[in-house]
Structure formats: structure tokens, C-alpha cells
Amino acid sequence: MANHKSAEKRNRQSQVRRMRNRVNRSKMKTAIRSLNQVIETGSAEEAKAALAVTVPVIAKTASKGTIHKKNASRKISRLTKRVNGMETSA
């Protein structure tokens, strides 16, 4: 347990940051999950529309510092590759 005033403040701040990061990460995972469902079942046009919704969510998560920017870039790249692969196979 924190014994100093500054340590108590750090504890409060870290709890707030943890919850904020958790919300951001959850939004990102939900967006990716919904995109994956569209890729599995839907058409290429639906997948492109879902990708257009998902990419900004991932980028925003990275800009907030919840995930690393290269991690976000990798996720966006792989999802875009999957959507573009649907187009060529269809």
C-alpha cells in the first residue's frame, strides 16, 4: 500500500490509465473481431467498408499509446492484405 502522498497519487493515476487503456484495447479488439467475421462471411465490398471503420480505431489506439505504433501498423497491414486477398480470389 502507498505510504506517501505522491505514491497515492501515482496509484490513482495508474488505475485511471489502466482503465483507459483497457477501454481502448477492447474497442480495437471488437473492431478487428467484427472485421474478421465480415471477411469470413461477407463480400469484398462489405469487407472494405468494415476495414475503413477498423483502421482508424487501430490508429487511434496507437496514437493514445495503448499499443505501439508499429504494432498498429502491422495489424492494419495484415488486415488490409486479407481484405485485398478476398478481392483477387473472388
Side-chain angles (χ1 to χ4, degrees), residues 22 24 27 31 42-43 46-48 54 63-64 74 84-85 89:
R22 191 173 171 189
N24 288 334
K27 284 181 185 176
S43 65
E46 291 176 5
K48 281 195 171 207
T54 304
S63 71
K64 300 282 184 185
R74 184 172 59 245
N84 290 341
S89 65

Side-chain angles (χ1 to χ4, degrees), residues 5-45:
K5 199 170 186 180
S6 61
E8 290 170 355
K9 182 177 178 180
R10 288 309 276 159
N11 193 23
R12 286 194 308 271
Q13 287 176 329
S14 65
Q15 287 175 355
V16 169
R17 285 192 184 109
R18 179 180 152 268
M19 292 309 293
R20 190 179 303 133
N21 286 338
R22 191 173 171 189
V23 167
N24 288 334
R25 193 176 294 113
S26 178
K27 284 181 185 176
M28 180 189 69
K29 284 180 166 185
T30 302
I32 291 171
R33 206 173 294 123
S34 64
L35 175 61
N36 285 333
Q37 287 177 345
V38 170
I39 289 173
E40 304 240 344
T41 61
S43 65
E45 292 80 28

Side-chain angles (χ1 to χ4, degrees), residues 61-77:
T61 304
S63 71
K64 300 282 184 185
T66 303
I67 62 171
H68 195 274
K69 65 179 184 175
K70 288 191 177 183
N71 187 340
S73 179
R74 184 172 59 245
K75 286 181 188 300
I76 291 169
S77 175

